[in-house]
Amino acid sequence: MGEAVGSMLASAVAVAISPLPLITVILVLTAPHGQARRSGGTGSSDRTNAFAFAAGWLLGLAAPTALVVVAGTALARAQTTPTWSSWLKLVLGALLLLSAARQWHDRPRAGHVTPPPAWLRAVDRFTAARSAGLALALAAGSPRTLLPLVGGAASIAATSTGAGAEALAAALLVVIGSLCTLLPLAVHLVRGGARSARVLGEWRAWTATHQAAILITVPVVLGAEYLGDAVSVLT
């Protein structure tokens, strides 16, 4: 089991360091909204939306992970010398580096402020269903999340450590990758709405300030690791 968990850990952390879902959950929990916010609290509907977003994110990670692990395990058993995961990581590594290069090209210039997307400014008015749907789209539809997720799931399938160990490693991949949505909820529940607002506000400010750097650095590091792993096996 240790091999399966260790092989996906870097990918899981890369998924977890996702600025947009973290900022979204914090906005849902702390943005001024309604009578409950005017009285210094957090409305139950906002908590429901935050839980719905976290659940949608979990589902959005779990479905691709399960698909890749199951398909990859079957493919590994069908090959005498399995190299499919190395070829896949070669492609994923190249795509991650291209993503980092594009982010560098589109990075905010000094003196210019990039406005957040319109949907992000409206998340505090979303319904629970719409919050869950947004999380699904961000998790399963964003290359910045999907590429490391597929890489982590492929690493698990390539270990061939047994169905139980692979299932546990896949579950850990999803849980670790969901910390960007689960941690703000945990802080809010433990500390309470009013007391957690300052902490979550600081998290949001720091993440927004360093978002461009995160979206450049993480793909570069993980893409280089994928390419190195692939080259070492294929050559």
Side-chain angles (χ1 to χ4, degrees):
M1 185 185 72
E3 182 184 0
V5 173
S7 65
M8 64 77 184
L9 197 54
S11 301
V13 172
V15 176
I17 307 176
S18 298
L20 207 50
L22 175 67
I23 292 173
T24 302
V25 171
I26 292 175
L27 277 176
V28 171
L29 290 170
T30 64
H33 176 63
Q35 180 62 37
R37 297 292 172 78
R38 289 193 291 271
S39 62
T42 300
S44 60
S45 62
D46 299 324
R47 284 191 293 269
T48 300
N49 289 353
F51 275 108
F53 185 90
W57 181 266
L58 281 163
L59 180 59
L61 297 188
T65 298
L67 180 63
V68 173
V69 170
V70 171
T73 301
L75 189 58
R77 291 171 181 168
Q79 292 181 341
T80 305
T81 306
T83 58
W84 66 270
S85 62
S86 298
W87 287 109
L88 179 59
K89 282 193 171 183
L90 191 68
V91 174
L92 293 174
L95 291 175
L96 284 167
L97 293 179
L98 287 174
S99 173
R102 180 177 179 181
Q103 184 64 40
W104 172 262
H105 179 269
D106 296 338
R107 71 191 185 283
R109 299 309 197 268
H112 295 273
V113 177
T114 303
W119 61 262
L120 188 60
R121 299 193 296 268
V123 291
D124 60 325
R125 299 190 296 273
F126 278 13
T127 62
R130 193 172 179 185
S131 298
L134 172 62
L136 274 170
L138 290 176
S142 170
R144 292 168 183 155
T145 302
L146 196 58
L147 292 177
L149 185 68
V150 170
S155 298
I156 294 171
T159 59
S160 299
T161 54
E166 290 177 0
L168 181 57
L172 286 174
L173 171 60
V174 172
V175 171
I176 294 172
S178 299
L179 290 178
C180 54
T181 62
L182 298 178
L183 285 179
L185 275 173
V187 170
H188 170 75
L189 292 174
V190 170
R191 303 196 62 173
R195 289 189 300 168
S196 67
R198 181 180 62 82
V199 175
L200 295 180
E202 291 174 353
W203 287 13
R204 173 192 166 192
W206 188 94
T207 304
T209 300
H210 298 90
Q211 179 175 350
I214 294 170
L215 294 177
I216 294 169
T217 305
V218 173
V220 166
V221 174
L222 190 62
E225 179 184 339
Y226 283 178
L227 290 177
D229 290 345
V231 169
S232 66
V233 172
L234 296 174
T235 57

